[in-house]
């Protein structure tokens, strides 16, 4: 029995992660106890404690925030239940968990930034940024990563940055106001912290009579099916993949640990792959379509 | 009496303006220690307003208040309580959610080591209530008791609070003879202790029974103060109304009435009222008499569908009808003026006009609005017919004086042109002038063929207009008086279960 | 002697016992001390906040700002402990002063400006969370040996349950609140205001003082809940405890307090909290619900509890139904 | 006759109009081109249009919310109902139904939700906040159940038109909310519905005694609220061509309630004005617009919003109004005082 404490289902990506985790568990014949925390840390802590009280064999957790896990992780450790972190890490001493299967959020931002630097090849470019939910770690890290990525290229400048709450509709609303406040013709590129906001923004750009992908370059993160669809139409330019399959490597590590006592490395990093218009977006779309995004 | 002493409390030139109305126009009032001072006037004369200005519940717009030679200016009731002025406002102002004891001692609970001592509080409450002849459980929430009991509790509380002055705004409106007697004996005691007591009521008998002096207001103006010992009722009435109240020759209600309108068989509800039978004919007034809590209000509520019966049936002109809600009753052309006008009667924030047409509109359904002209016509007609005093038909009804609210409610039901009208304490809080008018109105309605069921604590009134009087005791119908049997004495006897009652 | 006014409380307790028995029947592991200890520890901050909410609701008001105030408190503590070297105890005092004044000013606005509590505290909710953002959008860890000391204060029950300091603080808060509600004039005045504002005024209840006091208490308790939450997570995070006010309100209502004010019990809220905690524990023990079914089931159980309570209350008051309660009837 | 009622309405909404003007002026200060509206790609284009367009969901919600609040209730579930309706509409068109069917289906589901709330409040007598809290919690789950947790995207042009299309250059959502607002306001005032709803909100006991069918009326206001929420949900989904069950309408119930209060309606029920609520919704949207146009970092969004709202509420509070009145009146000879004392006799 393995307990899985998921943050919630706030985005398509998160839903896909849940689906994939359940699929992977089923594939391996693992009895998965799933607990949805409705985006609340306190619920995750409660779930962890309940898992411990039930005496599960191992715990997977996608922590909603980096801090605040020491106490409960210690309890898990005392009860000798290995804990694996999925897709985000925590601010705790690393002997409290077995391993973390994550991508590097800062790195993702950096990849996106680098892509834009290459794409512009020195041309002047004013960028608008759609941030994730204020205060959430992906928003902070992806912002910092992107800024690192474009650091040193003086031709690139972020002129506006506002939160779009990781949602399509806010992405659209905020983009609309960018288009007016800055002027559509003055915006050369959009960087969105996730694909959903980019999808919303694309619609706003079209409604303003501009061509997304040409008039305004669009780069975002996650690689959800819909952005590939947009790329297929040439309406988005690049996306950095965050794979929803974090559970696969985690289960592998647990398997190895339980059967052979192999202690995995502390960090199993997933790939942050960049997709651009050059890739076979149709194929990617078809394969991702049914993953529950 | 007592005029050689200096007044405890004196008001000079109190004024209060409301939009569209001058409620008080430079009114003076002097209260001497050890006197009961009646404050009289028609509905809307400004009595309650004066009290509220005096006790800081309203901010006054002019004038000064002098307590024992010192000018005071209470900003809130809390202030006036500190000055030793205890008040019972017109509508019972107690907290239904709290227990009787908590209501009695709110703000001055007995404490032990800084914490409230529930036990002492209950004990003290029992003692206090015993003085008023109540032996109820003070640890029950106030809402479990009837309006009358609540009224007594309110009085008890105010008495406890009043060090110098006690003000009672229509305390006897919902009380019975016995309670009134008790109250008067308490007042006498307080008077002996040197308190000044302000007593507002529309019962002139009571005024003359207990008061020493009376001040009369009319339309917000001071008309005069009289020592009652050398004044007559007629003079007071003339002062109040500004005219003579013509004596009407009271003809006894005829025993002969029309066809049967309503036949009630074995209607009852467990724990509330014992099953009873009742037949009411067209053009007949049936009176309901009884002590407090005897079940008059319950009877009325049951017949109107406000409370659902758990047994029995009702036949309207021979047809069985369902009375599961007031709405169904209204659709059968029933109407009822409830006892508690504040919580079951008025819709405070709606205008007087809307309140008057409310029941008619509700019966018509929301999609058939009454045309504006019809609404105005109705409202104006009833305001005139019932002499409702108001600044404008558009003012919220809660701003009307208590008696005028009562009349507006009557207007609401008359506007539906009912065939059967239930009145629960219809003259509660109504002034002498209007009282006579309402009695006349009841008689007129009866003559027009309407059937009426009237519950009232005022026996004279019942005697005046009833064809039959049903006496209730302990939620049971105990006897029925007809024709010449209907006299005050007989009703009292029936209520008191005096075996002589049956004999005429 | 059981008074009729105590029925709602008894009903809540009965509901809890019944539900716990059913849960334990299905998952015997729920009888372990761990689960009990978790119920206390995990809900400590919510419980403390709910105490304040009980007072507010008893007075006929509502306080939507508690979740934000908890988050603000956490961030404030984390930032101040990171950037200065003051002792956490002093920081606690400081933050309590801030939250009490915050609550008091909301109370003052409600009283003096005659604005509805719903709206004033809604603005307060935006403001407190906004202030937390301005302090820091990052989640800031708290690393202070005093925190470690406080966290190491627990009693470990034989089968592994840990009864922690925070749980004790919650219990003490409840105990104190029960006394305040029923044995002090302030408490009685709260009930009075809940019973009817204008009546309370005419009866001489000091409205200004009481109203401000109520919201100050709620603010202060939210601050205390924030301290407890920061002990719970050793961090401050501006996105924490979103929507906790709704959980607190739900707990208060499940605990038998009427939202219209004037009727209810602090002790009822305690069982409301336990019932809510029980629901969550049960769902995790079950572990088969998808994200959406989790929501539906929580909503459904909430509904079930309300219905059960209504039913029990109805059954117990059926015997006597005063005429005055007409409006509430049927 | 007619003109006097128009004048009364105008007098009622004057404070809201003044505030709206002030907030719009604030927009102008942070962004001088704010008032420029041009015709571009066959549609009106400009910030002012955005305010009207983006205000649509809140405006629609506050139509129903005003009625619910007038009966002394509150509807916390509208956000969740939006999500359900969006999900239903999306899944219907994805399954190949026409947009008309999808719209009707979504509206029907919304009304069903409203009836559910109504029954809980009016028949089971559960307090409105808690009664609607149930659907607020569970509703989003139901919506996700419909979409299976994904963002259900669709391309049906008819449905999309409802969210991002235009009619003679005006964005459809604007037309929808303006039309619905006027229609409901007219129905409520031209029939006796408004008065009866107010009566229930002021004193339900008295209203029932007067023969008003409070159960049916209360249920119907929740039904209307559900209908409005469903319409808002469809618009929001159509706007982004996808039903986002988790985020559609999230916390929008608070904005709707705020709009109703800014519209000068009492949360304690009774007298109401739908028009004023709609202006309240526009005020909120203008505040959001200030925040977006000002270019401040997002950390400050909430603080700015809170401060502006507090300012608006303080200006509107009865005490401040009263004080202003006194100041104005003291210049004149006879003070005829506004109904400050009125408060004391309520309850
Ligand atoms: N807040 C208010 N605004 C406007 N007019 C008011 C207000 N309060 C009272 N009035 C008016 O002031 C007048 C005096 O009312 P008041 O209640 O003092 O009469 P009253 O003498 O006590 O009558 P009753 O015997 O019926 O109780 C009434 O005409 C009433 O309509
Ligand atoms: N003296 C009393 N002691 C205890 N309970 C009482 C007493 N008087 C009334 N009650 C309670 O109050 C309830 C309501 O009675 P209520 O006063 O409405 O009846 P009523 O006959 O209409 O009297 P009235 O119309 O004079 O108020 C009664 O059913 C009873 O339970
Ligand atoms: Mg009066
Ligand atoms: Mg009675």
């Amino acid at each position: 029995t393995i307990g899985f404490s998921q943050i919630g289902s706030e985005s398509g990506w998160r839903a896909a992660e849940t689906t994939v985790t359940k699929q992977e568990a089923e594939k391996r014949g693992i009895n998965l106890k799933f607990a949805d925390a409705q985006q609340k840390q306190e619920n995750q802590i409660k779930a962890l404690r309940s898992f411990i009280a039930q005496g599960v064999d191992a715990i997977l957790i996608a922590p909603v925030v980096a801090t605040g896990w020491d106490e409960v992780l210690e309890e898990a450790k005392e009860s000798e239940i290995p804990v694996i972190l999925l897709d985000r890490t925590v601010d705790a001493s690393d002997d409290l968990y077995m391993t973390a299967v994550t991508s590097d959020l800062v790195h993702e931002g950096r990849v996106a930034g680098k892509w834009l630097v290459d794409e512009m090849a020195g041309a002047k470019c004013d960028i608008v940024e759609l941030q994730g939910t204020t205060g959430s770690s992906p928003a902070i890290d992806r912002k910092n990563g992107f800024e690192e990525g474009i650091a040193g290229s003086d031709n690139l400048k972020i002129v506006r940055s506002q939160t779009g709450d990781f949602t399509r509709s806010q992405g659209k609303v905020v983009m609309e106001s960018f288009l007016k406040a800055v002027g559509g013709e003055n915006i050369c590129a959009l960087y969105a912290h996730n694909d959903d906001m980019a999808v919303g923004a694309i619609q706003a750009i079209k409604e303003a009579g501009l061509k997304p992908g040409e008039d305004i370059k669009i780069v975002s993160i996650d690689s959800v099916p819909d952005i590939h669809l947009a790329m297929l139409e040439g309406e988005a330019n690049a996306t950095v993949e965050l794979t929803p399959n974090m559970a696969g490597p985690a289960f592998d590590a647990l398997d190895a640990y339980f059967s052979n006592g192999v202690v995995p490395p502390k960090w199993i990093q997933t790939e942050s792959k960049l997709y651009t218009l050059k890739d076979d977006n149709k194929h990617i779309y078809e394969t991702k379509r049914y993953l529950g995004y | 009496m007592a005029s050689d002493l200096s007044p405890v409390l004196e008001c000079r030139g109190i004024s209060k303006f409301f939009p569209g109305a001058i409620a008080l126009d430079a009114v003076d009032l002097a209260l001497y220690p050890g006197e009961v001072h009646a404050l009289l006037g028609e509905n809307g004369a400004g009595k309650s307003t004066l009290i509220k200005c005096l006790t800081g519940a309203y901010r006054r717009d002019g004038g000064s208040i002098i307590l024992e030679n010192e000018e005071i200016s209470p900003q809130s009731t809390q202030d006036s309580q500190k000055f030793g002025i205890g008040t019972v406002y017109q509508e019972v102002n107690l907290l239904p959610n709290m227990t009787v004891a908590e209501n009695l001692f709110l703000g001055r609970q007995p404490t032990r080591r800084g914490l409230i001592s529930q036990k002492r509080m209950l004990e003290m409450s029992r003692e206090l209530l015993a003085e008023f002849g109540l032996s109820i459980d003070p640890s029950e929430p106030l809402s479990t008791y009837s309006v009358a009991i609540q009224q007594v509790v309110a009085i008890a509380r105010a008495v406890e609070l009043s060090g110098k002055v006690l003000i009672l705004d229509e305390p006897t409106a919902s009380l019975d003879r016995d309670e009134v007697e008790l109250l008067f004996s308490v007042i006498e005691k307080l008077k002996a202790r040197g308190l000044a007591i302000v007593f507002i009521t529309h019962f002139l008998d009571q005024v003359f029974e207990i008061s020493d002096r009376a001040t009369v207001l009319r339309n917000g103006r001071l008309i005069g103060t009289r020592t009652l010992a050398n004044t007559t009722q007629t003079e007071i009435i003339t002062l109040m109304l500004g005219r003579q109240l013509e004596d009407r020759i009271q003809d006894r209600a005829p025993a002969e009435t029309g066809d049967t309108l309503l036949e009630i068989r074995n209607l009852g509800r467990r724990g509330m009222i014992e099953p009873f039978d009742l037949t009411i004919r067209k053009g007949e007034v049936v009176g309901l008499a009884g002590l407090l809590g005897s079940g008059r209000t319950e009877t009325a509520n049951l017949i109107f569908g406000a409370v659902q019966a758990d047994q029995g049936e009702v036949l309207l002109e021979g047809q069985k009808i369902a009375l599961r809600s007031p709405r169904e009753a209204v659709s059968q052309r029933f109407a009822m003026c409830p006892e508690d006008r504040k919580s079951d009667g008025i819709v405070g924030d709606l205008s007087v006009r809307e309140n008057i047409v409310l029941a008619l509109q509700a019966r018509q359904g929301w999609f058939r609005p009454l045309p504006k002209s019809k609404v105005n016509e109705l409202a104006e007609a009833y305001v005139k017919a019932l002499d409702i005093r108001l600044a404008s038909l558009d003012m919220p009804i809660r701003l009307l004086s208590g008696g005028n609210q009562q009349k507006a409610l009557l207007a609401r039901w008359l506007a539906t042109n009912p065939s059967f009208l239930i009145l629960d304490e219809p003259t509660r809080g109504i002034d002498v002038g209007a009282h006579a008018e309402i009695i006349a109105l009841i008689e007129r309605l009866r003559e027009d063929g309407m059937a009426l069921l009237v519950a009232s604590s005022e026996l004279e009134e019942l005697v005046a207009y009833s064809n039959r009087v049903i006496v209730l005791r302990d939620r049971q119908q105990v006897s029925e008086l007809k024709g010449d049997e209907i006299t005050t004495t007989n009703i009292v006897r029936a209520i008191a279960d005096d075996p002589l009652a049956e004999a005429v | 002697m059981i008074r009729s006014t105590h029925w709602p409380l008894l009903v809540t307790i009965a509901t809890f016992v019944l539900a716990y028995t059913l849960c334990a029947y299905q998952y015997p592991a729920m009888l372990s001390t761990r689960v009990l200890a978790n119920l206390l520890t995990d809900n400590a901050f919510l419980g403390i906040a709910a105490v304040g909410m009980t007072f507010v609701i008893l007075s006929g008001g509502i306080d939507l700002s508690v979740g934000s105030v908890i988050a603000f408190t956490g961030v404030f503590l984390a930032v101040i402990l990171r950037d200065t070297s003051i002792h956490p105890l002093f920081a606690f005092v400081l933050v309590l002063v801030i939250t009490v004044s915050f609550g008091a000013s909301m109370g003052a606005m409600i009283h003096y400006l005659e604005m509805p509590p719903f709206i004033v505290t809604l603005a307060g909710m935006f403001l407190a969370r906004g202030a937390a953002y301005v302090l820091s959008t990052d989640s800031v860890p708290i690393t202070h040996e005093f925190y470690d000391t406080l966290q190491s204060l627990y009693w470990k029950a034989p089968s592994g349950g840990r009864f922690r300091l925070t749980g004790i603080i919650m219990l003490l808060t409840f105990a104190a609140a029960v006394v305040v509600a029923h044995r002090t004039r302030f408490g009685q005045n709260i009930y009075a205001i809940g019973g009817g504002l204008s009546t309370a005024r005419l009866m001489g209840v000091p409205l200004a003082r009481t109203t401000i006091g109520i919201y100050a208490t709620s603010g202060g308790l939210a601050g205390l809940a924030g301290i407890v939450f920061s002990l719970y997570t050793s961090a401050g995070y501006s996105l924490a405890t979103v929507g906790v006010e709704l959980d607190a309100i739900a707990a208060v209502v499940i605990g038998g307090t009427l939202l219209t004010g004037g009727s209810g019990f602090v002790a009822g809220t305690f069982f409301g909290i336990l019932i809510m905690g029980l629901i969550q524990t049960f769902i995790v023990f079950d572990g088969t619900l998808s994200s959406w079914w989790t929501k539906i089931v929580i909503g459904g159980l909430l509904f079930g509890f309300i219905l059960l309570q209504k039913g029990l209350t109805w059954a117990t008051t059926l015997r006597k139904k005063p005429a005055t309660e007409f409006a509430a009837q049927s | 006759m007619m003109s006097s009622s128009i004048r009364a309405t105008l007098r009622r909404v004057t404070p809201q109009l003044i505030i709206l003007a002030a907030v719009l002026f604030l927009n102008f200060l942070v962004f001088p081109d704010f008032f420029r509206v041009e015709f571009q790609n066959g549609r009106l284009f400009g910030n002012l249009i955005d305010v009207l367009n983006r205000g649509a969901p809140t405006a629609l919600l506050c139509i129903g919310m005003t009625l619910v609040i007038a009966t002394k209730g509150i509807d916390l579930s509208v956000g969740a109902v939006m999500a359900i309706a969006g999900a239903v509409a999306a899944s219907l068109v994805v399954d190949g139904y026409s947009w008309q069917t999808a719209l009707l289906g979504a509206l029907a589901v919304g009304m069903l939700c409203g009836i559910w709330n109504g029954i809980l409040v009016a028949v089971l007598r559960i307090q409105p906040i808690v009664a609607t809290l149930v659907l607020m919690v569970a509703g989003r789950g139901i919506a996700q159940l419909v979409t299976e947790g994904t963002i259900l995207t669709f391309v049906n042009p008819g449905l999309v038109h409802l969210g991002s299309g235009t009619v003679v250059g005006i964005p459809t959502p604007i037309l929808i909310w303006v039309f619905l607002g006027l229609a409901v306001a007219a129905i409520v005032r031209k029939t006796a519905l408004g008065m009866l709803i107010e009566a229930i909100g002021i004193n339900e006991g008295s209203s029932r005694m007067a023969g008003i069918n409070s159960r049916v009326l209360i249920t119907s206001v929740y039904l209307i609220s559900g209908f409005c929420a469903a319409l808002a949900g469809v618009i929001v989904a159509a706007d982004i061509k996808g039903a986002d069950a988790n985020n559609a309408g999230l916390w929008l119930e608070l904005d709707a309630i705020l709009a109703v209060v800014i519209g000068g309606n009492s949360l304690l029920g009774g007298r109401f004005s739908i028009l004023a609520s709609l202006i309240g919704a526009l005020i909120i949207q203008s505040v959001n617009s200030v925040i977006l146009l000002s270019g401040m970092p997002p950390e400050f969004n909430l603080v700015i919003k809170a401060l502006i709202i507090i300012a608006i509420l303080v200006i509107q509070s009865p005490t401040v109004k009263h004080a202003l009145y006194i100041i104005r009146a003291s210049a004149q000879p006879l003070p005829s005082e506004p109904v400050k004392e009125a408060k004391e006799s309520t309850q």
Side-chain angles (χ1 to χ4, degrees), chain D residues 18-85:
Chain D
I18 293 175
I19 292 171
L20 180 62
V23 181
L24 289 177
F25 183 71
L26 213 58
N27 269 291
F28 171 73
L29 286 185
V30 299
F31 185 63
D33 274 347
F34 180 79
F35 288 109
R36 207 173 72 204
V37 174
E38 44 196 52
F39 205 72
Q40 200 173 311
N41 312 319
R43 64 189 293 153
L44 288 171
F45 189 83
N47 290 93
L48 216 48
I49 302 298
D50 280 356
V51 168
L52 290 170
N53 193 17
R54 292 296 157 213
T58 318
L60 282 172
L61 291 186
C62 81
I63 295 171
M65 190 69 82
T66 308
L67 296 180
V68 170
I69 287 179
T71 62
K72 221 173 191 162
I74 202 155
D75 190 350
L76 292 183
S77 71
V78 287
V81 174
M82 279 176 70
I84 298 177

Side-chain angles (χ1 to χ4, degrees), chain B residues 133-136 144-149 174-176 179 271-272 290-299 339 424-425 455-457 472 475, chain C residues 322-324:
Chain B
L134 275 190
S135 59
I136 55 171
T144 44
Y145 297 105
S146 67
V147 186
I149 292 189
S174 50
L175 293 194
D176 252 299
E179 274 88 7
M272 194 164 268
L291 289 179
L292 286 184
S294 56
R296 291 166 295 177
T297 299
E298 280 86 345
T299 306
E339 176 178 38
D424 196 354
E425 306 285 355
S456 176
S457 308
L472 294 162
R475 302 171 192 165
Chain C
T324 41

Side-chain angles (χ1 to χ4, degrees), chain A residues 98 252-265:
Chain A
M98 189 158 89
D252 291 342
L254 280 174
D255 205 21
Y257 175 74
F258 283 129
S259 49
N260 311 322
V262 186
V263 178

Side-chain angles (χ1 to χ4, degrees), chain A residues 9-10 15 131 134 160-163 167-169 172-173 176-177 180-181 196 203 207-209 226 292-293, chain D residues 31 40-41 43 45 47 50 54 144 149-151 153 164 239-241 246-247 292-296 298 301:
Chain A
S9 55
E10 72 280 6
Q131 297 187 28
T134 313
R160 284 258 168 171
S161 176
Q162 179 57 261
T163 174
T167 68
R168 269 184 207 203
S169 55
K172 184 171 181 185
V173 171
E176 258 175 23
S177 86
K180 274 152 204 147
D196 280 338
Q203 295 173 7
E207 279 168 27
D226 282 350
Y293 276 104
Chain D
F31 185 63
Q40 200 173 311
N41 312 319
R43 64 189 293 153
F45 189 83
N47 290 93
D50 280 356
R54 292 296 157 213
Q144 283 180 312
T150 64
I151 298 181
T153 50
S164 44
D239 181 36
I240 57 166
K241 305 188 182 73
N246 213 324
N247 298 303
L292 287 181
L293 289 175
S294 67
M296 296 273 275
N301 288 4

Side-chain angles (χ1 to χ4, degrees), chain B residues 234 237 241 243-254 285 432-447 460-461 463-466:
Chain B
T234 333
I237 292 176
L241 305 184
R243 62 184 157 92
Q244 298 269 334
L245 186 69
E246 65 267 33
D247 258 338
R248 281 167 27 93
I249 305 125
Q250 200 85 66
D251 17 74
R252 157 139 316 281
V285 177
V432 251
H435 193 223
E437 285 165 31
I438 285 187
I439 292 179
L441 181 73
I442 289 175
E443 282 175 358
R444 213 162 53 234
L445 292 173
R446 184 196 63 204
E447 275 156 25
E460 292 82 1
E461 181 185 309
V463 171
Y465 50 63
S466 303

Side-chain angles (χ1 to χ4, degrees), chain C residues 257-317:
Chain C
T257 300
L258 288 188
L259 269 168
T260 36
S263 154
F265 295 94
V266 174
T269 302
F270 180 70
F271 288 94
I273 292 281
L274 291 185
I275 289 175
M276 303 254 297
L278 197 65
I279 294 180
Q280 283 192 335
T281 312
F282 179 78
I283 287 175
V284 175
F285 266 73
D286 179 68
T288 58
L289 297 178
S290 63
S291 298
W292 36 98
W293 275 110
T294 306
K295 290 182 183 129
I296 299 175
V297 168
I298 292 179
L301 288 177
L302 188 65
F303 178 60
F305 276 109
I306 296 169
L307 219 55
L308 185 63
Q309 203 175 36
K310 265 250 154 325
L312 288 177
T313 319
W314 183 71
T316 51
T317 50

